[in-house]
Amino acid sequence: TAALRFAGVSKRFKDGTVALAAADLTVAPGEFVSVVGPSGCGKSTLLRLASGLDDVTDGTVDVQSKSVGYVFQDATLLPWRSVRDNVRLLAELEGLPKAEREQRVAAAIELVGLAGFEKHLPHELSGGMRMRTSLARSMVLAPDVFLFDEPFGALDEITRERLNDELLRMFTQQRFAALFITHSVAEAVFMSSRVLVMTARPGRIKAEVGVPFAYP
Ligand code: ADP
Ligand code: ADP
């Protein structure tokens, strides 16, 4: 069964803007799918609907995961909280038992290469390290579905490429289903085995391109 499925999904905002029109989309468990398309074609809307942050106007969205990882372009960390306390946040909200929570937090920090930086505050870190913290935070509940909205897009190109490499390494270890938004076709092809191409006004999924791809 699909990890994430959209069937005939449309989104019309109150002002009449149709951001998504009759979108059909399936992401299998452990599949990494990229979405490309011009600004305003509905990519972020697609993710917000997948995450449940926003409601569909028509159609159905089905997500097979107890939690969903969501990574934004910016790290969106709480500035007064340390790396560890930022990563701990979702586990706290979820009410995990303390021992399990701390074990997961430590594992996530290790996974993103931030061991030793637990007590640092966001402003004491590089941009890349802040995004690593954001990644660790999203991984702490081990979601089966991940949504990436132009992750690392605020970073310089070299740091972004390095983090994309690391994200693929994490993906091969954890095998979540991923929907990955980017405005770079090259990045989409590099990251995924399937690329969805969207068009604007109204937002439609125009084409699907399979990419011959071997993960590391
Ligand atoms: P993308 O992420 O591809 O840039 P979005 O999903 O953010 O596109 O937006 C799709 C379309 O919906 C755009 O035309 C945008 O202006 C419009 N839109 C997004 N959010 C709202 C909103 N809350 N109200 C009205 N229109 C919106
Ligand atoms: P990244 O690409 O992960 O952001 P950078 O190129 O910014 O890494 O930094 C390279 C390395 O320098 C980091 O992995 C880290 O070990 C170290 N580093 C960067 N910023 C700091 C800092 N504020 N305090 C301590 N070490 C740092």
Side-chain angles (χ1 to χ4, degrees):
T1 71
L4 173 66
R5 188 197 305 277
F6 277 52
V9 172
S10 297
K11 178 65 181 179
R12 178 196 300 272
F13 290 105
K14 281 200 190 79
D15 67 358
T17 306
V18 178
L20 208 58
D24 295 314
L25 160 69
T26 302
V27 183
E31 190 184 23
F32 200 114
V33 176
S34 292
V35 183
V36 294
S39 258
C41 71
K43 303 184 294 296
S44 297
T45 299
L46 193 73
L47 288 209
R48 281 204 307 277
L49 296 176
S51 70
L53 282 176
D54 206 349
D55 296 325
V56 303
T57 308
D58 259 313
T60 55
V61 173
D62 189 21
V63 180
Q64 295 295 322
S65 181
K66 55 197 177 337
S67 68
V68 171
Y70 208 133
V71 181
F72 302 92
Q73 177 165 351
D74 297 305
T76 61
L77 302 175
L78 296 176
W80 59 88
R81 281 192 159 217
S82 67
V83 166
R84 183 189 277 124
D85 289 347
N86 268 288
V87 173
R88 196 184 263 147
L89 194 68
L90 295 179
E92 278 173 358
L93 293 175
E94 189 74 11
L96 292 183
K98 189 174 170 196
E100 184 188 352
R101 184 185 76 202
E102 292 311 302
Q103 184 267 323
R104 282 178 181 238
V105 167
I109 289 174
E110 176 80 34
L111 187 68
V112 301
L114 281 181
F117 291 93
E118 290 84 351
K119 292 189 172 150
H120 283 59
L121 291 171
H123 77 268
E124 299 175 308
L125 303 172
S126 68
M129 294 167 91
R130 283 197 288 272
M131 277 312 304
R132 289 169 194 273
T133 307
S134 171
L135 259 186
R137 178 184 56 190
S138 70
M139 292 195 164
V140 91
L141 295 179
D144 296 317
V145 173
F146 262 89
L147 306 170
F148 298 100
D149 197 344
E150 292 188 41
F152 325 138
L155 300 173
D156 66 89
E157 196 177 337
I158 297 201
T159 307
R160 184 166 69 239
E161 284 186 8
R162 200 189 306 152
L163 282 178
N164 278 338
D165 278 341
E166 296 227 8
L167 177 55
L168 283 185
R169 185 179 54 77
M170 290 171 201
F171 170 70
T172 55
Q173 285 177 21
Q174 320 250 317
R175 283 293 172 163
F176 41 79
L179 208 49
F180 180 91
I181 289 183
T182 171
H183 53 236
S184 160
V185 172
E187 192 170 272
V189 170
F190 174 72
M191 293 297 286
S192 49
S193 51
R194 193 150 58 92
V195 179
L196 306 181
V197 183
M198 291 184 66
T199 55
R201 298 191 199 292
R204 281 184 198 285
I205 296 172
K206 178 169 87 167
E208 275 192 35
V209 184
V211 183
F213 193 86
Y215 285 103

